[in-house]
Amino acid sequence: MVTLRPPTPQAPPSDIYAAFAGEMNQESTQRLFQGLAMAVHNRASRFHLLFNCNGGVIGHGIAVYNFFRTLPIELILYNGGTISSAGVTGYLGAKKRKVSTHAFFMIHHASLGAVGEAPAGVLRSFADSLEMADRQNEAILRSHLKMPDEKWQYFRNHDLSITAEDAVNFGIADEIADFTPPAGMLYYF
């Protein structure tokens, strides 16, 4: 006679490894929130995220920053290639941040792309919102980055690219290290 036993509950995973590539927009922000919420729900201890982002909407970068910094699990972000603009803002929300030797970051002030025809009031409102978001974004950058004055001056009017070594020196990343998930343990969102 065979005795059926209920399945043994599995211990929650202690470490989850995932990769994200995309820009900061509504869809990608939702994917990040959902993936990390699932890890919290499944009682993971640590979430290792390879993060590649070419920028996007400042507001989404700020939302990701705020979400990352308040997660109840340990989040470790890795820059394996490029993180730019609003992506850098989001990246700074993680308490642990790593960068590969040949990866880099790029920061710049917000700019108004081509704007079609619109009433002057709408354009002023859009410009005011963009200026406010840019000020908030710079405040986040300044709270984390310890850059020399000449870099801040350059940043005022130009795109500023930052090497992995400088990223560690400036406080963007904590250390130079590669994302190395164990075999069979990588998810993508």
Side-chain angles (χ1 to χ4, degrees), residues 20-91:
F20 168 84
E23 67 176 42
M24 293 285 97
N25 60 33
Q26 185 72 30
E27 181 184 328
S28 64
T29 300
Q30 288 174 342
R31 286 194 330 260
L32 284 167
F33 288 179
Q34 289 169 348
L36 286 159
M38 176 121 6
V40 170
H41 177 75
N42 289 328
R43 302 186 195 286
S45 300
R46 276 173 302 286
F47 198 101
H48 302 263
L49 181 60
L50 178 62
F51 192 68
N52 190 69
C53 181
N54 62 350
V57 178
I58 294 173
H60 291 291
I62 292 171
V64 168
Y65 168 82
N66 287 322
F67 184 72
F68 283 175
R69 67 187 186 86
T70 59
L71 279 172
I73 62 174
E74 183 179 8
L75 173 63
I76 304 164
L77 287 185
Y78 300 81
N79 177 355
T82 304
I83 300 177
S84 298
S85 190
V88 175
T89 305
Y91 178 85

Side-chain angles (χ1 to χ4, degrees), residues 11-12 15 30 58 67 75 111 118 129 134 146 165 174:
D15 287 82
Q30 288 174 342
I58 294 173
F67 184 72
L75 173 63
S111 62
S129 293
D134 192 48
K146 281 57 172 176
E165 186 177 328
D174 302 315

Side-chain angles (χ1 to χ4, degrees), residues 137-155:
N137 189 62
E138 185 171 343
I140 290 169
L141 292 174
R142 285 188 179 272
S143 73
H144 288 274
L145 277 61
K146 281 57 172 176
M147 290 194 308
D149 288 339
E150 66 269 10
K151 294 289 186 185
W152 285 112
Q153 288 297 336
Y154 187 85
F155 166 69

